[in-house]
Amino acid sequence: MEEWNMSVGSLGEQVLDRLSKMLDNATCGWRQLATAVSEQPQFRCSESELTSCSLQVLSTAGSPGRTLLAWLADRSCSLDFLLHCLRKMDHQEAAQYLTSTLAELIQITVQPQAQQSTVGGRVVLTCRASGPPGLSYQWFRGKEEILDETGNTPELVLRPSLPAHQGHYICRVHHGETFIFSQWAHVRFVPTAGPSPVNLVISGCSSSLFPGSVSGLHIIRQPQSQAVSEGDSLVLECSAEANPPVQYEWYHNMVPMTQHKTHSLKIPCVTTAHRGQYRCKMFNLYHEAWSDTATITVGPSSITEASWVEVDRGLDSKEVHRSTCGPGLHQLQQMVNPPPSVKHFYATDKVALLIGNMNYLYHTQLCAPIADVHELTNLLRQMDFKVVSLLDLNWQEMHSAVTEFLLLLDKGVYGLLYFAGHGYENYGNSFMVPIDAPASYTSEHCLCVQNILTRMQEKQTGLNVLLLDMCRKRNLYDDVIVQPGLLKVTANIVFGYATCVDAEAYEVKREDVANGIFISFLKRRVCEDEKVTVMLDRVGEDMGRCEITRGRQALELRSNLSERRSLTDQIQTAECSASHSARNLQWAIAHVLPKSLCLQFDCGVKVQLGFAAEFSNIMVIYSRILEKPQEIVSCCAQLTDFPQDVDIDLKKSNQETLLEAGSLLLIKENLPSPEVPSLYTRIRCLQRLRRELTFTICLHYTYSNMDDEVQERKPVTVGKPLVSKLNLHEPRPPHARSASSSFSLDSFNIPESSSSVGSASNAWSYPAQSGRESSTIDSATSSRSANIPEETDCEFDAPQALVASKSLPHSQINDTNYKFSDMYNFHSH
């Protein structure tokens, strides 16, 4: 049908997610679809776009297929063409699923109406539907199907009408095996008043019984959908012409409103109980008809017991006065800009920078930030945030990271900054403390959050959320009053402080709880589909019910957010698809892992290297023996000679388990089998890597007829992995684009070897820490989850995925078992 020409973007999230899973495979998946759609030039993907799709496997919830479908939606690709391409590439499962989904979109737009006529007259019943092409119609009288030549069309014509035609009729609209029924229409006959029969035609001609009517009852006014506020008045009107006169009956959510029997429904003071759907039934002795559905949304009240009128008090100032008469605020707003029936907010993109500082050089060491950043990273990725997560940054690295974060922002983007570590607040300004801050630090050694917010506003962001999990005590060493840039009145700022002014934030040192107090409660609520401030209010209420925090730590919320924006809002990029693609690449370039490598030694041993990301600046390398000659009885491949830029604990390198290598949790069942052991080495502080990462594989082996151990060494270069590409160690000029990363699609020179980055390595999330003091952890209690990359370029079998645990459920936190002696605060001194 021509009117059914919907875009891929009209599909729901559930349908798109399922299609994405079907397309996320290497044999018949998104790459083949990208080739199929290129038969039309407007849907042809560039190399940069294909690379960006491939890089999605690095994200916990990333999906190359979902990214490709999003681009097709941006370019208004029709569902017809998508279905054609799926059939062309012979993806039967996806084609069948999309076909069945399209069939579910069938909607009846014109219902058959009850009619009366005289014997010998002409009766036309009409049923029309919208939906996928090729809709079929079947007409039934009672249970008997009508099989004549007019029975398989939208119109059933009974001419001449006979007494046998009297009865109840229904139409079945179907597409394949999916169908929908119309409402019943009653056809009845009345005796003629003279020799000429009275003809009744549904197509618009008048009936002599009821002049001006098509079916005996003609609706002339329909109720309209509205958005109102609590306390407003609501008026819905519906009217019809008929003979005998029409009676009215109103329904709210399909429940009769027995007190309302007129054409006008009036509710003088609306409450939230009045939201929902309204319909009016109009009927007389012979006919019955239903009005359209009117949807009423009810928002919170803006005023109480009075309206507000703006009074001009001069050129430079205005004041708002109360008034007891005149139109209410909602009516005034409607006069200027009538609201739509339902207001939906969306982001042009969603970006988050998460910093956790633990290992301070001159201050108390912290335990919680590593788990807090991990928890929030996973939750934000579930809501489609692009997340950069960094641990243990010095002053220069924090400044550079913020500059890179600002490059990812643009008009309408949701920006979120989270910091866990030492901090303080002076004169209303909050300061984040880097790990290299001196013992008596001042504002010049720290980062001012309000200055960052000012720079975020310059990007015209849609939402600015700053979550500060740190102390807010006064810094006695700092008497400088910082004057941040002037904030604009954008009404889109939300500050969530883990604690109150002049108070401390705490973390719990306990074997079964790894998070700080704030994240322990935030992780339960952050994914709720609520306004950000409502969600944080609930977090504060939860903290207030916790015995250990009551009177010691309370969340403080500061906000001027005027719209119902939520972290779960959908991303719509149609208006800025180019900048969205640039942000995708800008973000992905900082999350590129080296490809898995297979090395052949002279002795005949084959060694595989794999790579996994814990955070954006922490990587694990594992080595395993793939093949060895029979005459070699023992063999292992150890990594050595790492550059001094990165941080490696030599005592924990080349360990047989992730736990021994310094990772906090592992799942024995999903590690490579004991018959093919692996050695793990954990590399931290990749942001300090100034050149390509080079190291040496030292192969130790022993022949069966020899006692002495033999060594072979091979140098390895794997480029600059993860965040090291951004050169955060280099100074950035303020308010300027960094030299290390440009914000245009053409500037990303991705090497050929990274076109399927991470393809054989395992991108995995950092596990939740389950202990504060002890370094031993029972892995048997860990939960199982894996993120296996999509494809591999290695000719050998890839090892099983490194697996990270899921977050600890909040239900494991038992407030009554806490002791205040177990709590450690994020001291600012």
Side-chain angles (χ1 to χ4, degrees), residues 115-373:
Q115 296 190 38
Q116 64 180 12
S117 180
T118 58
V119 176
R122 181 175 183 267
V123 175
V124 179
L125 297 174
T126 302
C127 177
R128 297 190 183 277
S130 62
L135 292 180
S136 298
Y137 297 82
Q138 289 175 278
W139 287 93
F140 295 84
R141 185 178 71 245
K143 297 181 179 180
E144 178 184 355
E145 184 178 1
I146 301 173
L147 299 176
D148 61 21
E149 62 276 8
T150 63
N152 294 319
T153 63
E155 290 186 346
L156 175 64
V157 180
L158 304 177
R159 183 176 184 180
S161 56
L162 304 172
H165 292 154
Q166 184 165 286
H168 289 83
Y169 289 77
I170 195 170
C171 184
R172 179 181 183 266
V173 185
H174 62 92
H175 182 276
E177 297 181 356
T178 304
F179 59 87
I180 185 174
F181 281 103
S182 71
Q183 67 185 21
W184 288 97
H186 186 206
V187 175
R188 61 188 296 268
F189 294 99
V190 295
T192 59
S196 300
V198 179
N199 294 329
L200 179 65
V201 182
I202 197 168
S203 61
C205 299
S206 298
S207 164
S208 60
L209 288 176
F210 305 107
S213 172
V214 171
S215 60
L217 191 153
H218 179 57
I219 300 176
I220 60 176
R221 176 176 293 182
Q222 298 276 11
Q224 301 297 315
S225 297
Q226 299 180 35
V228 297
S229 299
E230 292 182 275
D232 289 349
S233 60
L234 172 65
V235 178
L236 295 174
E237 293 188 349
C238 182
S239 59
E241 294 178 349
N243 186 11
V246 176
Q247 299 182 54
Y248 300 89
E249 189 173 285
W250 286 90
Y251 287 75
H252 177 213
N253 295 329
M254 300 309 296
V255 177
M257 305 176 70
T258 57
Q259 302 300 318
H260 299 274
K261 299 291 186 180
T262 65
H263 70 93
S264 179
L265 171 64
K266 297 180 180 180
I267 301 176
C269 186
V270 173
T271 67
T272 54
H274 294 119
R275 64 163 59 102
Q277 296 182 332
Y278 290 80
R279 293 188 73 186
C280 181
K281 183 174 77 171
M282 295 155 283
F283 59 96
N284 60 15
L285 182 62
Y286 302 106
H287 306 285
E288 175 183 304
W290 287 84
S291 72
D292 294 341
T293 300
T295 301
I296 304 301
T297 58
V298 181
S301 176
S302 305
I303 53 176
T304 55
E305 299 180 357
S307 59
W308 301 81
V309 179
E310 188 176 66
V311 179
D312 192 344
R313 295 190 61 191
L315 295 177
D316 299 325
S317 64
K318 292 185 179 181
E319 189 174 86
V320 178
H321 283 256
R322 297 172 68 92
S323 172
T324 57
C325 61
L329 177 62
H330 183 70
Q331 285 77 13
L332 288 172
Q333 290 173 338
Q334 284 187 320
M335 294 176 187
V336 178
N337 185 20
S341 58
V342 180
K343 176 66 173 175
H344 296 285
F345 297 101
Y346 64 90
T348 57
D349 207 348
K350 297 194 281 191
V351 180
L353 172 63
L354 278 56
I355 300 176
N357 285 346
M358 303 168 52
N359 299 304
Y360 282 86
L361 301 180
Y362 310 106
H363 303 280
T364 306
Q365 305 295 293
L366 302 176
C367 298
I370 189 171
D372 291 346
V373 171

Side-chain angles (χ1 to χ4, degrees), residues 504-776:
E504 295 170 329
Y506 294 90
E507 60 183 24
V508 177
K509 190 171 185 179
R510 183 178 168 87
E511 290 186 355
D512 59 344
V513 178
N515 297 121
I517 293 294
F518 179 42
I519 293 294
S520 295
F521 292 95
L522 178 67
K523 66 183 181 182
R524 290 201 310 169
R525 300 284 191 183
V526 70
C527 291
E528 292 181 351
D529 186 19
E530 295 285 355
K531 185 178 178 180
V532 180
T533 51
V534 173
M535 179 271 293
L536 290 174
D537 272 335
R538 293 177 178 174
V539 174
E541 293 172 1
D542 293 341
M543 290 177 61
R545 288 189 288 267
C546 178
E547 184 66 29
I548 193 173
T549 59
R550 189 176 301 127
R552 300 183 181 96
Q553 180 176 341
L555 181 145
E556 182 174 325
L557 175 63
R558 296 183 181 178
S559 171
N560 64 11
L561 183 61
S562 62
E563 298 172 327
R564 190 195 177 280
R565 293 193 179 268
S566 167
L567 297 182
T568 59
D569 289 344
Q570 298 297 312
I571 296 175
Q572 294 186 13
T573 59
E575 297 178 358
C576 55
S577 57
S579 60
H580 176 71
S581 299
R583 281 192 299 275
N584 276 339
L585 290 177
Q586 176 79 357
W587 170 82
I589 206 72
H591 292 80
V592 173
L593 281 167
K595 294 175 59 177
S596 179
L597 300 175
C598 292
L599 305 176
Q600 180 75 54
F601 284 79
D602 293 340
C603 62
V605 173
K606 289 182 179 179
V607 176
Q608 184 183 41
L609 293 181
F611 306 86
E614 289 188 0
F615 292 90
S616 299
N617 62 339
I618 298 180
M619 181 175 71
V620 171
I621 306 177
Y622 67 86
S623 62
R624 59 183 300 200
I625 306 299
L626 289 180
E627 294 181 10
K628 66 180 181 65
Q630 292 183 351
E631 61 269 21
I632 293 180
V633 293
S634 65
C635 184
C636 71
Q638 296 185 350
L639 311 184
T640 185
D641 299 336
F642 285 95
Q644 295 182 351
D645 297 343
V646 296
D647 185 3
I648 298 177
D649 188 343
L650 296 180
K651 294 181 179 179
K652 294 183 178 181
S653 62
N654 299 300
Q655 297 297 313
E656 295 182 355
T657 67
L658 283 170
L659 178 60
E660 293 172 329
S663 293
L664 299 178
L665 203 62
L666 72 162
I667 300 174
K668 296 178 180 178
E669 294 86 348
N670 288 316
L671 293 178
S673 61
E675 290 78 11
V676 187
S678 298
L679 298 180
Y680 300 91
T681 299
R682 185 167 177 260
I683 304 177
R684 297 170 296 185
C685 299
L686 287 173
Q687 74 275 8
R688 295 170 196 166
L689 186 64
R690 295 177 179 269
R691 58 189 63 84
E692 291 187 333
L693 179 62
T694 59
F695 53 90
T696 301
I697 300 181
C698 186
L699 183 67
H700 303 260
Y701 58 94
T702 305
Y703 286 103
S704 58
N705 58 352
M706 296 177 59
D707 294 333
D708 295 335
E709 183 180 80
V710 183
Q711 293 185 11
E712 280 189 47
R713 301 168 69 90
K714 274 187 176 291
V716 176
T717 300
V718 295
K720 299 191 74 174
L722 301 176
V723 78
S724 63
K725 290 184 178 64
L726 299 183
N727 297 321
L728 299 184
H729 55 83
E730 296 180 352
R732 262 67 163 179
H735 301 274
R737 180 176 300 174
S738 72
S740 65
S741 56
S742 178
F743 198 58
S744 67
L745 285 171
D746 299 331
S747 65
F748 292 97
N749 298 317
I750 302 175
E752 182 67 26
S753 61
S754 65
S755 60
S756 57
V757 162
S759 56
S761 59
N762 301 295
W764 54 294
S765 301
Y766 200 89
Q769 182 180 359
S770 64
R772 290 293 193 219
E773 298 177 348
S774 175
S775 61
T776 60

Side-chain angles (χ1 to χ4, degrees), residues 757-806:
V757 162
S759 56
S761 59
N762 301 295
W764 54 294
S765 301
Y766 200 89
Q769 182 180 359
S770 64
R772 290 293 193 219
E773 298 177 348
S774 175
S775 61
T776 60
I777 299 176
D778 182 9
S779 64
T781 61
S782 60
S783 55
R784 296 167 174 80
S785 65
N787 181 19
I788 302 174
E790 169 199 9
E791 52 191 331
T792 177
D793 294 332
C794 181
E795 60 181 332
F796 304 100
D797 292 335
Q800 290 179 311
L802 298 179
V803 179
S805 72
K806 296 177 183 177

Side-chain angles (χ1 to χ4, degrees), residues 371-386:
D372 291 346
V373 171
H374 155 73
E375 294 278 2
L376 194 55
T377 295
N378 289 340
L379 293 169
L380 290 174
R381 282 176 176 168
Q382 293 176 25
M383 297 181 284
D384 299 324
F385 272 85
K386 295 177 176 64

Side-chain angles (χ1 to χ4, degrees), residues 385-417:
F385 272 85
K386 295 177 176 64
V387 182
V388 176
S389 56
L390 301 169
L391 294 185
D392 292 331
L393 302 185
N394 60 32
W395 183 88
Q396 180 58 65
E397 292 159 357
M398 289 184 69
H399 270 271
S400 298
V402 168
T403 300
E404 294 293 335
F405 169 63
L406 293 170
L407 290 177
L408 295 175
L409 302 182
D410 200 357
K411 184 176 181 180
V413 173
Y414 287 11
L416 184 146
L417 173 66

